[in-house]
Amino acid sequence: MPNVRAPRPTRRGILAAAGALGLGAALAACGDDKGKDSGSDSKATAASSGPWSFKDDRGQTAKADKAPSGIVAFVGVAAALHDYGVEVKGVFGPTKTKDGKADVQAGDLDIGKVTILGNEWGQFNIEKYAALAPDLLVSTMFDDAGTLWYVPEESKKKILAVGAPSVGISVYDRQMAEPLQRMLELARSLGADITSAKVTQAKKRFEDAAARLRAATKAKPGIKVLAGSASQDVFYVSGSNLSIDLEYFKALGVNFVEPSASALKAGGGWFENLSWENVDKYKADVIMMDNRSSAIQPADITEATWKKLPAVKAGQVIARNPEPILSYDKCAPLLEDLAKAIENAKKVS
């Protein structure tokens, strides 16, 4: 989930802060039943000259006379669709860094070719949005209430009043394989060739990476992994529930540090807040750190308590994107990197 701050401790605000951490048969076999594909009965129709429809994870069916081409999407969704050959007109959410480069959440998007409607939490330029004459709005959802991620609550009615149907892909409390499949279905409905060599090779790479991670955890079951994120005053430790990546990794055997339910309560069930003085509360052999631009990166952490952590001293720190770009091309390396880290990890905790 994104590392953003909301002004009030609302449910949406908790989800925003949580981002400081944090979230077919072969794929289903890689996890457990909770992560199996539930989108196989979604009424997505392949792009054609006729009517288009797609049933999203809110149970709502978006419809149009033809497959939408004026698409506006949360940047991570746009990046995933781009990997499948579906381009968007506009994006919202973290798209470019302060130095003008593409944000990590933009993936391989050419950010100079899309209209950026807002680059930070709460930003969404409705006038620019309407000027694009959008025929589809797409975002992810980090709760079970159907909240479209980075679509501001205070202006949601005005945004939806522009008239474009909306689609929400859930990334809440499920394993990665499921939203990956749902994004593939959406891309297919919008005209993507999901049988292309590029897509099939990326999916095979993902499946192989999942098998590798499972083998690594089986070979080294004692390696403890901590998922964290750094801010100026707080170090966040994620629980393995709710986040699509951590739930999937856990199903593959990863032995995560698990804060108690009471410790997670302040973070809405997503994470525990620790002061830097208490950053050594949990013992870990491998640390996965939030790699988004909203978080302080490991190389820039100056706290002495951090530098003394055994995993840090051993160089056993890797990157984690709590908001994975939902294409097989972008998710396969996440599995590969974690598998490699566990394969090479020394027991230091």
Side-chain angles (χ1 to χ4, degrees):
M1 306 200 40
N3 182 15
V4 294
R5 299 289 185 268
R8 302 183 305 278
T10 60
R11 179 183 181 86
R12 185 177 174 93
I14 288 175
L15 290 173
L21 302 185
L23 280 185
L27 289 178
C30 292
D32 59 23
D33 289 342
K34 189 176 182 180
K36 67 184 178 182
D37 171 28
S38 65
S40 59
D41 63 347
S42 67
K43 299 177 181 177
T45 56
S48 66
S49 58
W52 172 89
S53 68
F54 185 86
K55 186 175 181 180
D56 74 359
D57 293 338
R58 298 171 296 183
Q60 298 180 13
T61 300
K63 298 180 180 180
D65 293 337
K66 60 181 180 178
S69 57
I71 305 167
V72 172
F74 173 70
V75 62
V77 172
L81 292 175
H82 171 82
D83 285 349
Y84 291 124
V86 177
E87 304 300 338
V88 307
K89 284 187 175 182
V91 297
F92 52 95
T95 305
K96 62 180 179 180
T97 59
K98 292 180 180 179
D99 58 4
K101 296 180 180 180
D103 190 277
V104 64
Q105 295 190 67
D108 294 331
L109 277 179
D110 184 342
I111 63 173
K113 292 184 178 181
V114 293
T115 298
I116 300 174
L117 304 177
N119 199 58
E120 298 178 3
W121 182 260
Q123 294 181 349
F124 194 112
N125 191 310
I126 301 175
E127 289 74 21
K128 284 186 177 181
Y129 175 62
L132 291 174
D135 50 16
L136 183 64
L137 175 68
V138 191
S139 191
T140 48
M141 300 182 299
F142 278 94
D143 60 23
D144 54 7
T147 305
L148 296 177
W149 194 235
Y150 265 80
V151 174
E153 283 294 301
E154 60 274 15
S155 54
K156 179 179 66 176
K157 289 184 178 180
K158 291 182 179 180
I159 293 168
L160 296 179
V162 171
S166 64
V167 163
I169 300 296
S170 180
V171 289
Y172 175 71
D173 194 19
R174 60 200 63 207
Q175 294 177 25
M176 182 186 288
E178 182 179 342
L180 267 173
Q181 180 65 24
R182 295 291 285 137
M183 190 63 72
L184 185 70
E185 291 170 358
L186 176 61
R188 173 184 174 274
S189 81
L190 294 170
D193 180 5
I194 66 171
T195 64
S196 69
K198 179 182 178 181
V199 174
T200 55
Q201 288 169 8
K203 190 172 183 180
K204 177 62 163 57
R205 180 183 175 186
F206 179 86
E207 293 166 352
D208 290 345
R212 178 182 175 184
L213 180 55
R214 186 187 291 279
T217 62
K218 186 175 181 179
K220 289 189 173 182
I223 296 298
K224 293 285 290 185
V225 179
L226 182 149
S229 182
S231 68
Q232 183 174 350
D233 300 316
V234 179
F235 183 80
Y236 303 90
V237 178
S238 177
S240 64
N241 293 325
L242 304 184
S243 297
I244 60 170
D245 60 334
L246 303 187
E247 286 203 14
Y248 188 54
F249 300 157
K250 181 171 62 175
L252 294 172
V254 176
N255 185 6
F256 280 110
V257 166
E258 297 284 6
S260 66
S262 58
L264 292 170
K265 187 175 181 180
W270 294 88
F271 60 89
E272 177 181 1
N273 299 345
L274 293 178
S275 66
W276 283 103
E277 290 77 11
N278 295 316
V279 74
D280 59 354
K281 177 178 178 179
Y282 297 104
K283 297 184 183 300
D285 304 295
V286 174
I287 300 176
M288 304 173 68
M289 288 295 289
D290 188 342
N291 71 344
R292 293 165 302 169
S293 55
S294 52
I296 299 175
Q297 298 306 299
D300 299 319
I301 298 175
T302 59
E303 301 290 341
T305 48
W306 164 261
K307 295 181 178 180
K308 291 179 180 179
L309 293 177
V312 175
K313 293 172 69 175
Q316 295 177 177
V317 178
I318 64 171
R320 174 201 174 209
N321 187 346
E323 292 182 79
I325 293 171
L326 295 173
S327 71
Y328 292 105
D329 181 73
K330 294 298 182 293
C331 286
L334 306 181
L335 293 161
E336 293 167 346
D337 290 347
L338 182 53
K340 181 179 179 180
I342 292 174
E343 291 165 352
N344 297 332
K346 297 177 181 179
K347 186 68 178 175
V348 296
S349 63

